[in-house]
Amino acid sequence: MRADDWPAVKTIYEQGIATRQATFETEAPARETWDAGHLAEPRLVAEESGEVVGWAALSPVSRRPCYLGVVEESVYVAEHARGRGVGRALLERLCGDADSAGIWTIQTSIFPENVGSLELHKRCGFRVVGTRERIAQLDGVWRDTVLMERRTR
């Protein structure tokens, strides 16, 4: 992912936000805010014919040194590119790059209604840790999330 990919990354993120099945966020942040919340590496984009059609990045789960190898991942695919393996390619590469960087746990929280994302993560070696009931509100409605993780150690 390069700085000039941001407009496409933001658009794809906004498409995910609009589904109300991908995140509790209700609007995409400014690039500087997004940048500050994610690790510098790895950050990936998927391109088809020079167009960014998906992205993936990691966020630290804690600033405590003992958790330096524990991250949360995000994978988003453009509406018109969903269901074609873009998400799987991104997630597999992200996991491989994270392994190479010494990360030992990748976690994610997925709305239980987002069956496609749950299945994708299972296919990529994630396991269900549990369901966090009524963990936060989206549009004034309490929502559950399924906590999943992939561990290398």
Side-chain angles (χ1 to χ4, degrees):
M1 183 184 297
R2 300 179 313 264
D4 62 343
D5 291 325
W6 175 249
V9 167
K10 182 180 178 190
T11 296
I12 293 167
Y13 191 29
E14 289 170 337
Q15 290 172 358
I17 291 169
T19 69
R20 295 304 199 251
Q21 297 302 317
T23 179
F24 282 104
E25 299 299 331
T26 57
E27 61 184 45
R31 185 178 70 80
E32 296 77 17
T33 303
W34 185 92
D35 192 55
H38 292 81
L39 298 180
E41 294 290 330
R43 293 181 182 184
L44 307 172
V45 294
E47 293 184 349
E48 290 180 349
S49 303
E51 175 192 7
V52 174
V53 295
W55 63 269
L58 300 174
S59 303
V61 299
S62 175
R63 296 194 187 282
R64 293 176 59 195
C66 61
Y67 293 114
L68 287 178
V70 182
V71 296
E72 183 173 4
E73 57 85 359
S74 298
V75 175
Y76 286 80
V77 177
E79 288 175 342
H80 70 278
R82 293 179 190 153
R84 300 195 330 235
V86 173
R88 184 166 188 168
L90 282 166
L91 186 54
E92 286 177 347
R93 172 70 183 272
L94 188 69
C95 289
D97 288 356
D99 291 348
S100 296
I103 291 169
W104 60 82
T105 302
I106 303 172
Q107 65 184 38
T108 189
S109 293
I110 302 171
F111 291 123
E113 299 83 4
N114 193 343
V115 176
S117 186
L118 292 169
E119 292 303 315
L120 167 65
H121 284 81
K122 287 178 187 174
R123 286 192 301 273
C124 290
F126 284 73
R127 71 177 185 93
V128 172
V129 175
T131 299
R132 298 186 306 172
E133 297 177 356
R134 299 171 48 90
I135 191 72
Q137 290 187 22
L138 177 60
D139 299 326
V141 177
W142 287 101
R143 300 284 301 268
D144 299 346
T145 59
V146 177
L147 179 62
M148 299 184 78
E149 71 176 13
R150 178 186 174 274
R151 298 184 54 103
T152 57
R153 296 187 185 145

mmCIF file of all heavy atoms in Angstrom, residues 13-44:
data_model
loop_
_atom_site.group_PDB
_atom_site.id
_atom_site.type_symbol
_atom_site.label_atom_id
_atom_site.label_comp_id
_atom_site.label_asym_id
_atom_site.label_seq_id
_atom_site.Cartn_x
_atom_site.Cartn_y
_atom_site.Cartn_z
ATOM 1 N N TYR A 13 -13.183 1.140 2.051
ATOM 2 C CA TYR A 13 -13.555 1.132 3.472
ATOM 3 C C TYR A 13 -14.970 1.680 3.641
ATOM 4 O O TYR A 13 -15.791 1.098 4.364
ATOM 5 C CB TYR A 13 -12.539 1.950 4.257
ATOM 6 C CG TYR A 13 -12.630 1.832 5.767
ATOM 7 C CD1 TYR A 13 -13.097 0.696 6.401
ATOM 8 C CD2 TYR A 13 -12.210 2.883 6.563
ATOM 9 C CE1 TYR A 13 -13.150 0.610 7.787
ATOM 10 C CE2 TYR A 13 -12.260 2.799 7.951
ATOM 11 C CZ TYR A 13 -12.739 1.667 8.550
ATOM 12 O OH TYR A 13 -12.792 1.577 9.919
ATOM 13 N N GLU A 14 -15.289 2.768 2.956
ATOM 14 C CA GLU A 14 -16.629 3.351 3.046
ATOM 15 C C GLU A 14 -17.689 2.385 2.516
ATOM 16 O O GLU A 14 -18.802 2.328 3.061
ATOM 17 C CB GLU A 14 -16.674 4.670 2.282
ATOM 18 C CG GLU A 14 -15.899 5.765 2.978
ATOM 19 C CD GLU A 14 -15.702 7.019 2.157
ATOM 20 O OE1 GLU A 14 -15.766 6.965 0.901
ATOM 21 O OE2 GLU A 14 -15.468 8.081 2.774
ATOM 22 N N GLN A 15 -17.366 1.608 1.507
ATOM 23 C CA GLN A 15 -18.308 0.600 1.018
ATOM 24 C C GLN A 15 -18.572 -0.446 2.099
ATOM 25 O O GLN A 15 -19.714 -0.879 2.288
ATOM 26 C CB GLN A 15 -17.766 -0.069 -0.247
ATOM 27 C CG GLN A 15 -17.739 0.836 -1.449
ATOM 28 C CD GLN A 15 -17.035 0.217 -2.633
ATOM 29 O OE1 GLN A 15 -16.506 -0.898 -2.582
ATOM 30 N NE2 GLN A 15 -17.017 0.953 -3.741
ATOM 31 N N GLY A 16 -17.525 -0.856 2.803
ATOM 32 C CA GLY A 16 -17.702 -1.802 3.905
ATOM 33 C C GLY A 16 -18.514 -1.208 5.037
ATOM 34 O O GLY A 16 -19.401 -1.860 5.594
ATOM 35 N N ILE A 17 -18.237 0.038 5.371
ATOM 36 C CA ILE A 17 -18.993 0.730 6.415
ATOM 37 C C ILE A 17 -20.473 0.764 6.065
ATOM 38 O O ILE A 17 -21.335 0.514 6.915
ATOM 39 C CB ILE A 17 -18.437 2.153 6.641
ATOM 40 C CG1 ILE A 17 -17.055 2.089 7.291
ATOM 41 C CG2 ILE A 17 -19.401 2.988 7.477
ATOM 42 C CD1 ILE A 17 -16.309 3.420 7.311
ATOM 43 N N ALA A 18 -20.779 1.047 4.816
ATOM 44 C CA ALA A 18 -22.172 1.181 4.367
ATOM 45 C C ALA A 18 -22.965 -0.110 4.529
ATOM 46 O O ALA A 18 -24.184 -0.062 4.714
ATOM 47 C CB ALA A 18 -22.206 1.647 2.915
ATOM 48 N N THR A 19 -22.306 -1.261 4.507
ATOM 49 C CA THR A 19 -23.021 -2.536 4.664
ATOM 50 C C THR A 19 -23.554 -2.733 6.065
ATOM 51 O O THR A 19 -24.464 -3.516 6.282
ATOM 52 C CB THR A 19 -22.112 -3.745 4.340
ATOM 53 O OG1 THR A 19 -21.096 -3.866 5.347
ATOM 54 C CG2 THR A 19 -21.516 -3.644 2.944
ATOM 55 N N ARG A 20 -22.949 -2.042 7.039
ATOM 56 C CA ARG A 20 -23.253 -2.218 8.456
ATOM 57 C C ARG A 20 -22.991 -3.654 8.920
ATOM 58 O O ARG A 20 -23.507 -4.108 9.927
ATOM 59 C CB ARG A 20 -24.691 -1.805 8.796
ATOM 60 C CG ARG A 20 -24.968 -0.305 8.591
ATOM 61 C CD ARG A 20 -23.978 0.513 9.415
ATOM 62 N NE ARG A 20 -24.385 1.883 9.646
ATOM 63 C CZ ARG A 20 -23.817 2.956 9.078
ATOM 64 N NH1 ARG A 20 -22.858 2.797 8.202
ATOM 65 N NH2 ARG A 20 -24.226 4.161 9.395
ATOM 66 N N GLN A 21 -22.146 -4.373 8.184
ATOM 67 C CA GLN A 21 -21.773 -5.742 8.534
ATOM 68 C C GLN A 21 -20.267 -5.917 8.668
ATOM 69 O O GLN A 21 -19.795 -7.037 8.864
ATOM 70 C CB GLN A 21 -22.291 -6.718 7.466
ATOM 71 C CG GLN A 21 -23.786 -6.753 7.345
ATOM 72 C CD GLN A 21 -24.477 -7.121 8.646
ATOM 73 O OE1 GLN A 21 -24.056 -8.031 9.362
ATOM 74 N NE2 GLN A 21 -25.533 -6.424 8.979
ATOM 75 N N ALA A 22 -19.492 -4.826 8.540
ATOM 76 C CA ALA A 22 -18.041 -4.950 8.514
ATOM 77 C C ALA A 22 -17.337 -4.279 9.688
ATOM 78 O O ALA A 22 -16.240 -4.692 10.053
ATOM 79 C CB ALA A 22 -17.498 -4.381 7.205
ATOM 80 N N THR A 23 -17.938 -3.259 10.277
ATOM 81 C CA THR A 23 -17.258 -2.486 11.306
ATOM 82 C C THR A 23 -18.268 -1.686 12.110
ATOM 83 O O THR A 23 -19.377 -1.402 11.627
ATOM 84 C CB THR A 23 -16.220 -1.526 10.674
ATOM 85 O OG1 THR A 23 -15.580 -0.772 11.702
ATOM 86 C CG2 THR A 23 -16.848 -0.601 9.660
ATOM 87 N N PHE A 24 -17.871 -1.297 13.308
ATOM 88 C CA PHE A 24 -18.688 -0.380 14.096
ATOM 89 C C PHE A 24 -18.501 1.063 13.659
ATOM 90 O O PHE A 24 -19.276 1.930 14.045
ATOM 91 C CB PHE A 24 -18.341 -0.500 15.590
ATOM 92 C CG PHE A 24 -18.936 -1.711 16.258
ATOM 93 C CD1 PHE A 24 -18.150 -2.816 16.545
ATOM 94 C CD2 PHE A 24 -20.276 -1.741 16.611
ATOM 95 C CE1 PHE A 24 -18.694 -3.928 17.169
ATOM 96 C CE2 PHE A 24 -20.828 -2.841 17.231
ATOM 97 C CZ PHE A 24 -20.033 -3.946 17.519
ATOM 98 N N GLU A 25 -17.465 1.330 12.893
ATOM 99 C CA GLU A 25 -17.234 2.699 12.408
ATOM 100 C C GLU A 25 -18.389 3.126 11.514
ATOM 101 O O GLU A 25 -18.977 2.308 10.814
ATOM 102 C CB GLU A 25 -15.913 2.785 11.645
ATOM 103 C CG GLU A 25 -14.692 2.435 12.463
ATOM 104 C CD GLU A 25 -14.478 3.333 13.661
ATOM 105 O OE1 GLU A 25 -14.872 4.517 13.629
ATOM 106 O OE2 GLU A 25 -13.907 2.860 14.653
ATOM 107 N N THR A 26 -18.693 4.401 11.538
ATOM 108 C CA THR A 26 -19.781 4.927 10.696
ATOM 109 C C THR A 26 -19.272 5.880 9.623
ATOM 110 O O THR A 26 -20.038 6.310 8.771
ATOM 111 C CB THR A 26 -20.848 5.631 11.552
ATOM 112 O OG1 THR A 26 -20.215 6.669 12.315
ATOM 113 C CG2 THR A 26 -21.540 4.642 12.489
ATOM 114 N N GLU A 27 -17.982 6.201 9.682
ATOM 115 C CA GLU A 27 -17.362 6.979 8.615
ATOM 116 C C GLU A 27 -15.867 6.701 8.616
ATOM 117 O O GLU A 27 -15.283 6.379 9.652
ATOM 118 C CB GLU A 27 -17.640 8.477 8.757
ATOM 119 C CG GLU A 27 -17.130 9.087 10.027
ATOM 120 C CD GLU A 27 -17.518 10.559 10.149
ATOM 121 O OE1 GLU A 27 -18.684 10.888 9.881
ATOM 122 O OE2 GLU A 27 -16.643 11.363 10.506
ATOM 123 N N ALA A 28 -15.284 6.820 7.446
ATOM 124 C CA ALA A 28 -13.845 6.600 7.332
ATOM 125 C C ALA A 28 -13.103 7.798 7.918
ATOM 126 O O ALA A 28 -13.511 8.936 7.730
ATOM 127 C CB ALA A 28 -13.465 6.401 5.869
ATOM 128 N N PRO A 29 -12.001 7.539 8.590
ATOM 129 C CA PRO A 29 -11.220 8.635 9.177
ATOM 130 C C PRO A 29 -10.370 9.327 8.111
ATOM 131 O O PRO A 29 -10.244 8.848 6.981
ATOM 132 C CB PRO A 29 -10.333 7.908 10.185
ATOM 133 C CG PRO A 29 -10.104 6.567 9.553
ATOM 134 C CD PRO A 29 -11.412 6.234 8.873
ATOM 135 N N ALA A 30 -9.753 10.408 8.502
ATOM 136 C CA ALA A 30 -8.752 11.049 7.653
ATOM 137 C C ALA A 30 -7.570 10.089 7.512
ATOM 138 O O ALA A 30 -7.321 9.248 8.386
ATOM 139 C CB ALA A 30 -8.286 12.361 8.281
ATOM 140 N N ARG A 31 -6.842 10.222 6.434
ATOM 141 C CA ARG A 31 -5.706 9.323 6.190
ATOM 142 C C ARG A 31 -4.715 9.346 7.339
ATOM 143 O O ARG A 31 -4.210 8.297 7.760
ATOM 144 C CB ARG A 31 -4.980 9.685 4.891
ATOM 145 C CG ARG A 31 -3.877 8.681 4.557
ATOM 146 C CD ARG A 31 -3.185 9.000 3.260
ATOM 147 N NE ARG A 31 -2.364 10.184 3.323
ATOM 148 C CZ ARG A 31 -1.142 10.248 3.837
ATOM 149 N NH1 ARG A 31 -0.603 9.182 4.393
ATOM 150 N NH2 ARG A 31 -0.458 11.368 3.834
ATOM 151 N N GLU A 32 -4.438 10.497 7.891
ATOM 152 C CA GLU A 32 -3.464 10.599 8.977
ATOM 153 C C GLU A 32 -3.916 9.812 10.206
ATOM 154 O O GLU A 32 -3.118 9.168 10.878
ATOM 155 C CB GLU A 32 -3.223 12.068 9.344
ATOM 156 C CG GLU A 32 -2.606 12.890 8.234
ATOM 157 C CD GLU A 32 -3.599 13.303 7.141
ATOM 158 O OE1 GLU A 32 -4.828 13.236 7.374
ATOM 159 O OE2 GLU A 32 -3.130 13.678 6.053
ATOM 160 N N THR A 33 -5.204 9.872 10.500
ATOM 161 C CA THR A 33 -5.756 9.129 11.635
ATOM 162 C C THR A 33 -5.684 7.632 11.375
ATOM 163 O O THR A 33 -5.267 6.858 12.248
ATOM 164 C CB THR A 33 -7.209 9.559 11.901
ATOM 165 O OG1 THR A 33 -7.234 10.969 12.131
ATOM 166 C CG2 THR A 33 -7.805 8.834 13.088
ATOM 167 N N TRP A 34 -6.083 7.218 10.180
ATOM 168 C CA TRP A 34 -6.019 5.801 9.816
ATOM 169 C C TRP A 34 -4.578 5.319 9.892
ATOM 170 O O TRP A 34 -4.280 4.268 10.455
ATOM 171 C CB TRP A 34 -6.592 5.589 8.416
ATOM 172 C CG TRP A 34 -6.671 4.153 8.019
ATOM 173 C CD1 TRP A 34 -7.728 3.310 8.183
ATOM 174 C CD2 TRP A 34 -5.635 3.369 7.407
ATOM 175 N NE1 TRP A 34 -7.413 2.059 7.719
ATOM 176 C CE2 TRP A 34 -6.132 2.070 7.235
ATOM 177 C CE3 TRP A 34 -4.333 3.641 7.005
ATOM 178 C CZ2 TRP A 34 -5.388 1.049 6.662
ATOM 179 C CZ3 TRP A 34 -3.586 2.617 6.425
ATOM 180 C CH2 TRP A 34 -4.111 1.342 6.267
ATOM 181 N N ASP A 35 -3.680 6.105 9.323
ATOM 182 C CA ASP A 35 -2.263 5.752 9.283
ATOM 183 C C ASP A 35 -1.703 5.557 10.694
ATOM 184 O O ASP A 35 -0.981 4.590 10.954
ATOM 185 C CB ASP A 35 -1.502 6.848 8.548
ATOM 186 C CG ASP A 35 -0.093 6.453 8.212
ATOM 187 O OD1 ASP A 35 0.092 5.409 7.559
ATOM 188 O OD2 ASP A 35 0.828 7.189 8.613
ATOM 189 N N ALA A 36 -2.045 6.438 11.604
ATOM 190 C CA ALA A 36 -1.530 6.365 12.975
ATOM 191 C C ALA A 36 -2.045 5.138 13.722
ATOM 192 O O ALA A 36 -1.395 4.660 14.656
ATOM 193 C CB ALA A 36 -1.899 7.635 13.740
ATOM 194 N N GLY A 37 -3.179 4.612 13.328
ATOM 195 C CA GLY A 37 -3.771 3.471 14.015
ATOM 196 C C GLY A 37 -3.358 2.116 13.481
ATOM 197 O O GLY A 37 -3.784 1.087 14.009
ATOM 198 N N HIS A 38 -2.551 2.087 12.425
ATOM 199 C CA HIS A 38 -2.152 0.824 11.803
ATOM 200 C C HIS A 38 -0.636 0.682 11.780
ATOM 201 O O HIS A 38 0.086 1.674 11.715
ATOM 202 C CB HIS A 38 -2.709 0.739 10.379
ATOM 203 C CG HIS A 38 -4.185 0.606 10.333
ATOM 204 N ND1 HIS A 38 -5.031 1.680 10.468
ATOM 205 C CD2 HIS A 38 -4.982 -0.479 10.220
ATOM 206 C CE1 HIS A 38 -6.277 1.253 10.416
ATOM 207 N NE2 HIS A 38 -6.269 -0.046 10.276
ATOM 208 N N LEU A 39 -0.177 -0.547 11.819
ATOM 209 C CA LEU A 39 1.258 -0.807 11.701
ATOM 210 C C LEU A 39 1.740 -0.364 10.322
ATOM 211 O O LEU A 39 0.991 -0.444 9.335
ATOM 212 C CB LEU A 39 1.548 -2.297 11.880
ATOM 213 C CG LEU A 39 1.180 -2.934 13.220
ATOM 214 C CD1 LEU A 39 1.552 -4.411 13.213
ATOM 215 C CD2 LEU A 39 1.868 -2.211 14.366
ATOM 216 N N ALA A 40 2.975 0.057 10.254
ATOM 217 C CA ALA A 40 3.550 0.499 8.979
ATOM 218 C C ALA A 40 3.678 -0.662 7.989
ATOM 219 O O ALA A 40 3.539 -0.479 6.783
ATOM 220 C CB ALA A 40 4.911 1.146 9.211
ATOM 221 N N GLU A 41 3.930 -1.846 8.494
ATOM 222 C CA GLU A 41 4.071 -3.045 7.656
ATOM 223 C C GLU A 41 3.441 -4.226 8.380
ATOM 224 O O GLU A 41 3.550 -4.310 9.588
ATOM 225 C CB GLU A 41 5.550 -3.346 7.394
ATOM 226 C CG GLU A 41 6.251 -2.301 6.562
ATOM 227 C CD GLU A 41 5.818 -2.283 5.114
ATOM 228 O OE1 GLU A 41 5.434 -3.365 4.613
ATOM 229 O OE2 GLU A 41 5.835 -1.212 4.497
ATOM 230 N N PRO A 42 2.814 -5.136 7.704
ATOM 231 C CA PRO A 42 2.463 -5.066 6.305
ATOM 232 C C PRO A 42 1.158 -4.301 6.086
ATOM 233 O O PRO A 42 0.263 -4.335 6.929
ATOM 234 C CB PRO A 42 2.291 -6.530 5.917
ATOM 235 C CG PRO A 42 1.840 -7.209 7.179
ATOM 236 C CD PRO A 42 2.503 -6.452 8.292
ATOM 237 N N ARG A 43 1.099 -3.623 4.980
ATOM 238 C CA ARG A 43 -0.115 -2.981 4.469
ATOM 239 C C ARG A 43 -0.200 -3.373 3.017
ATOM 240 O O ARG A 43 0.739 -3.162 2.265
ATOM 241 C CB ARG A 43 -0.037 -1.462 4.576
ATOM 242 C CG ARG A 43 -0.042 -0.943 5.987
ATOM 243 C CD ARG A 43 0.021 0.557 5.973
ATOM 244 N NE ARG A 43 0.071 1.085 7.330
ATOM 245 C CZ ARG A 43 0.060 2.368 7.614
ATOM 246 N NH1 ARG A 43 0.011 3.260 6.646
ATOM 247 N NH2 ARG A 43 0.115 2.768 8.872
ATOM 248 N N LEU A 44 -1.309 -3.942 2.643
ATOM 249 C CA LEU A 44 -1.429 -4.509 1.308
ATOM 250 C C LEU A 44 -2.602 -3.920 0.536
ATOM 251 O O LEU A 44 -3.614 -3.546 1.139
ATOM 252 C CB LEU A 44 -1.639 -6.018 1.406
ATOM 253 C CG LEU A 44 -0.636 -6.813 2.235
ATOM 254 C CD1 LEU A 44 -1.114 -8.243 2.390
ATOM 255 C CD2 LEU A 44 0.740 -6.756 1.600
#
